[in-house]
């Protein structure tokens, strides 16, 4: 991790160099081989991952719980939402730091990949030791989650509009 510049990661870009040095020890590096699951949809998790090298895909099941999968006539009910590389340093699993809710999607490696990882205990240990820094990090996480909600809302509106047009007979 010593080679990686934390300012290149959007979550830490607004921090001072001194603050980034306080953040560095709560992360450790973890590598996964190609075709590995890093996060599994609907499982519990308390870790946040930042992809620093490699390529992953985000996969989401598109079938509501309780629906019979026979309705899909043997088709896979999952959809690839995104394929991301380490150059952008995408963040995954951040909701696991603040909530015991099940994971919302699966993250799978497409090639050998490395991540910076922290967990709820390490993260909130830093928040307790450095409350101002902790507040800035929590604000960054909240901003990221708010953007995800706005994006999801826009997608729901598109789908709702498309469904309404189809059901009304207009296209």
């Amino acid at each position: 991790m010593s080679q990686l510049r934390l300012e290149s990661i959007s979550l830490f870009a607004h921090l001072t160099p001194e603050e980034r040095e306080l953040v560095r020890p709560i992360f450790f590096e973890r590598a996964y081989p190609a075709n590995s699951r890093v996060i599994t949809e609907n499982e519990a998790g308390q870790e946040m991952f930042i992809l620093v090298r490699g390529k992953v895909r985000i996969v989401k099941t598109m079938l509501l719980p309780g629906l019979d999968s026979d309705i899909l006539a043997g088709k896979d009910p999952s959809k690839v939402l995104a394929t991301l590389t380490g150059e952008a340093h995408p963040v995954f699993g951040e909701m696991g730091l603040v909530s015991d809710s099940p994971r919302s999607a699966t993250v799978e490696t497409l090639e050998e990949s490395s991540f910076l990882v922290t967990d709820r205990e390490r993260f909130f240990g830093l928040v307790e030791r450095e409350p101002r820094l902790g507040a800035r990090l929590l604000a960054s996480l909240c901003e990221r989650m708010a953007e995800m909600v706005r994006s999801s809302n826009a997608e729901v509106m598109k789908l709702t509009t498309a469904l309404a047009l189809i059901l009304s007979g207009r296209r």
Side-chain angles (χ1 to χ4, degrees):
M1 186 168 108
S2 58
Q3 299 171 352
L4 182 67
R5 297 176 50 190
L6 292 182
E7 64 268 19
S8 65
I9 298 171
S10 62
L11 195 60
F12 310 125
H14 69 288
L15 300 179
T16 67
E18 296 79 19
E19 289 171 326
R20 285 191 290 272
E21 287 310 308
L22 292 170
V23 168
R24 189 178 296 277
I26 71 166
F27 284 89
F28 57 94
E29 196 162 346
R30 185 183 294 162
Y32 288 85
N35 304 311
S36 297
R37 282 198 171 176
V38 178
I39 292 174
T40 302
E41 185 176 1
N42 294 321
E43 287 188 359
Q46 296 186 3
E47 294 179 316
M48 178 179 79
F49 299 80
I50 302 170
L51 179 62
V52 294
R53 186 179 54 77
K55 185 188 288 188
V56 300
R57 68 179 171 194
I58 313 301
V59 181
K60 175 91 176 127
T61 301
M62 295 293 152
L63 188 63
L64 292 172
L67 279 180
D68 187 358
S69 61
D70 292 342
I71 197 168
L72 296 175
K75 294 180 183 169
D76 185 359
S78 60
K79 178 182 179 192
V80 175
L81 300 178
T83 300
L84 304 166
T85 64
E87 288 83 31
H89 306 306
V91 176
F92 312 100
E94 65 276 18
M95 289 188 287
L97 291 180
V98 296
S99 172
D100 285 324
S101 299
R103 299 292 197 177
S104 60
T106 296
V107 178
E108 301 172 329
T109 60
L110 295 173
E111 60 189 39
E112 186 177 330
S113 300
S114 294
F115 299 83
L116 294 181
V117 183
T118 194
D119 59 28
R120 189 178 300 166
E121 183 178 334
R122 289 171 181 251
F123 182 80
F124 280 102
L126 176 65
V127 170
E128 288 176 17
R129 288 188 307 277
E130 301 288 339
R132 284 191 172 159
L133 172 57
R136 294 183 72 190
L137 288 172
L138 285 167
S140 286
L141 287 174
C142 288
E143 187 176 308
R144 178 172 160 67
M145 289 183 217
E147 180 54 40
M148 290 189 314
V149 168
R150 283 190 287 275
S151 176
S152 294
N153 286 346
E155 290 301 312
V156 167
M157 289 303 297
K158 287 179 193 174
L159 290 171
T160 302
T161 301
L163 182 59
L165 289 171
I166 289 169
L167 293 175
S168 71
R170 291 187 273 155
R171 292 184 190 218

